[in-house]
Amino acid sequence: VFQKWVNREISNFDYLIQLNTMAGRTYNDLAQYPVFPWILRDYTSEELDLNNPAVFRDLSKPIGVVNEKNAKTVKEKYISFFRYENFEDPLGMIDKFHYGTHYSNAAGVMHYLIRVEPFTTLHIQLQSGRFDCADRQFHSIPATWQALMDNPNDVKELIPEFFYFPEFLENQNGFNLGQLQMSKEVVNDVVLPKWAHSPEDFIYKHRKALESEYVSAHLHEWIDLIFGYKQRGPAAVEALNVFY
């Protein structure tokens, strides 16, 4: 598979799907759901220029420290994390970590797919029979990216649906997802970047970005973090990539 990818016989999307499968990730298990990277960082421009390297996320860094400002907090947490988080570990059994949450988990999958069944029902079950408060829901792609940049504790990567499934961005079932506290905006369809004119247009451009020259040249850096040698050990510590 690797050789096929290097020879450009298979797409970046297909390569990532195959890597996820080989790593034991599957659509049948929300706790081991396929994981894909955030690849862009421009969610505000009117037009998306895929020839400009500045529109892409730095794939060599974990999402928690793509914003350089967060790196200091993350390093400090690793050095003194029991004091830092009031973390209880009386037996001293838990290894140090940079992030107390994970880049892929069941709640995160339901978060992104809240508008489509069976994920809506699963989300409601998780929240004791109702929708979570609107401010915590997935309501806007630009706002989700901004929250990642502002908060080193939010480290969710993406799911494959961001590259092929426009329906998950629309509230086709008319669920009452509440309204945001500050702006009183009703949460309905997912708010898209300005450069996307519809959910279909977002998926088309996002997929095009995934297959772009920039991502093709740098995707291996992200793969090292998630599937490769930077997952644990000294390389993971150095890359600020140690998860609880």
Side-chain angles (χ1 to χ4, degrees), residues 177-193:
L177 300 169
Q179 55 184 160
L180 304 178
Q181 280 177 332
M182 296 292 282
S183 65
K184 301 296 179 219
E185 183 191 338
V186 173
V187 176
N188 192 25
D189 294 346
V190 176
V191 177
L192 303 171

Side-chain angles (χ1 to χ4, degrees), residues 84-243:
Y84 189 85
E85 291 275 297
N86 298 323
F87 200 82
E88 295 296 331
D89 180 25
L91 300 176
M93 303 287 278
I94 297 170
D95 291 333
K96 289 183 185 177
F97 54 79
H98 293 116
Y99 313 102
T101 56
H102 212 246
Y103 51 76
S104 165
N105 56 37
V109 176
M110 289 180 237
H111 175 77
Y112 286 138
L113 296 177
I114 189 172
R115 290 165 180 77
V116 289
E117 291 288 16
F119 304 97
T120 311
T121 298
L122 290 167
H123 168 90
I124 289 169
Q125 284 170 356
L126 182 73
Q127 296 296 331
S128 312
R130 57 187 168 72
F131 284 113
D132 193 6
C133 86
D135 289 77
R136 282 203 293 267
Q137 283 170 20
F138 175 48
H139 68 273
S140 157
I141 293 173
T144 301
W145 174 256
Q146 196 50 52
L148 284 174
M149 292 303 95
D150 295 341
N151 179 7
N153 298 317
D154 188 353
V155 293
K156 278 191 294 297
E157 290 280 11
L158 297 184
I159 51 175
E161 282 81 353
F162 275 81
F163 300 92
Y164 69 81
F165 185 53
E167 286 80 358
F168 90 102
L169 298 168
E170 299 174 278
N171 187 13
Q172 292 183 351
N173 294 312
F175 294 122
N176 177 4
L177 300 169
Q179 55 184 160
L180 304 178
Q181 280 177 332
M182 296 292 282
S183 65
K184 301 296 179 219
E185 183 191 338
V186 173
V187 176
N188 192 25
D189 294 346
V190 176
V191 177
L192 303 171
K194 286 181 185 166
W195 46 258
H197 307 302
S198 66
E200 290 75 14
D201 188 46
F202 171 80
I203 295 291
Y204 170 75
K205 287 172 178 163
H206 202 215
R207 181 72 172 259
K208 205 171 164 185
L210 179 65
E211 303 303 338
S212 68
E213 220 25 74
Y214 180 92
V215 175
S216 297
H218 294 276
L219 188 57
H220 67 280
E221 296 169 351
W222 182 83
I223 289 168
D224 286 341
L225 294 168
I226 305 294
F227 300 107
Y229 77 102
K230 290 184 178 175
Q231 285 179 84
R232 23 182 89 106
V237 176
E238 194 178 336
L240 304 182
N241 193 43
V242 181
F243 291 82

Side-chain angles (χ1 to χ4, degrees), residues 18-34:
Q18 295 203 35
L19 276 178
N20 272 284
T21 304
M22 288 188 279
R25 290 183 169 273
T26 166
Y27 286 105
N28 300 324
D29 181 353
L30 291 186
Q32 289 292 336
Y33 206 77

